[in-house]
Amino acid sequence: MPVRDSHAAGHWLLIDDNEDLLASTLLRHENILLFPLMSSTNANEYLSDAEFRAWHGTLLFTHSAVRALDQALSTAHGISIKEFDVLITLFNAPDGRLRMTELAERVVLSASGVSQLVTRLERDGLVQRIVDAGDRRSFFAALTPAGHQRLRDSRPTHNEVIRDRLTRRLTPTQLKTLGTLWQAILDW
């Protein structure tokens, strides 16, 4: 459990050095990481305790879950989490295909990043590029039968990591509340 300590004009949060932290602007003092929480001179300079805990928890969970997903999918199925994301996004797309630019937007990769990823998946026989008949300069990405099979095989692994890292740790009420909170957060 984090410990609060008063330091100079503001409050600092002390956290064990053993925690996996994503923040890059940490102050280090004798194996303890110091996070400014609230400055008494400028309330907007630092996050409040509640803001920090919500933001930091989101970062830690995301990092931990993505790392666990990537490890499990790579070990069991020879694909990364990014590759799984492309496969499932194409599976869920209308007509089972997307223009490369649409795919890049949905999987949150740059156009060049998605192009390189699709090239690897195409080389492995999991995805194919289809020329857009309406605009021969443009391509669609679509799953191949082997891509469908790899997705079917890897889905249980993906779901087990999600259940292990998230859903089994919450009561049904907490899970429903979390879904409602994410809907509010993501509905800008």
Side-chain angles (χ1 to χ4, degrees), residues 20-24 35 47 52-66 182:
D20 185 18
L21 301 170
L22 299 176
S24 61
F35 288 81
L47 295 174
F52 175 81
R53 291 167 67 77
W55 174 242
H56 191 246
T58 299
L59 289 176
L60 289 176
F61 171 76
T62 301
H63 179 70
S64 171
V66 167
W182 280 117

Side-chain angles (χ1 to χ4, degrees), residues 90 97-107 109-119 122 127-130 138-142:
L90 290 173
R97 64 185 194 169
L98 288 170
R99 283 191 173 78
M100 297 294 284
T101 53
E102 294 171 315
L103 182 58
E105 289 171 6
R106 292 188 188 189
V107 297
L109 288 172
S110 67
S112 65
V114 82
S115 181
Q116 292 172 8
L117 190 56
V118 167
T119 296
E122 190 175 30
V127 169
Q128 63 183 341
R129 292 178 206 243
I130 303 166
S138 184
F139 291 91
F140 288 101

Side-chain angles (χ1 to χ4, degrees), residues 1 39 54 81 83 92 126 142 149 157-158 162-164:
M1 180 98 184
S39 167
I81 184 62
E83 291 166 331
N92 289 317
L126 303 176
Q149 186 61 50
T157 301
H158 173 273
I162 297 301
R163 289 179 180 121
D164 181 58

Side-chain angles (χ1 to χ4, degrees), residues 143-182:
L143 288 179
T144 63
H148 279 281
Q149 186 61 50
R150 183 73 59 93
L151 180 60
R152 269 193 302 279
D153 292 345
S154 60
R155 232 183 206 167
T157 301
H158 173 273
N159 294 347
E160 179 55 31
V161 171
I162 297 301
R163 289 179 180 121
D164 181 58
R165 295 280 171 159
L166 178 65
T167 62
R168 284 192 197 117
R169 295 176 183 217
L170 302 174
T171 66
T173 301
Q174 289 171 326
L175 194 57
K176 185 176 179 182
T177 299
L178 183 60
T180 301
L181 290 170
W182 280 117

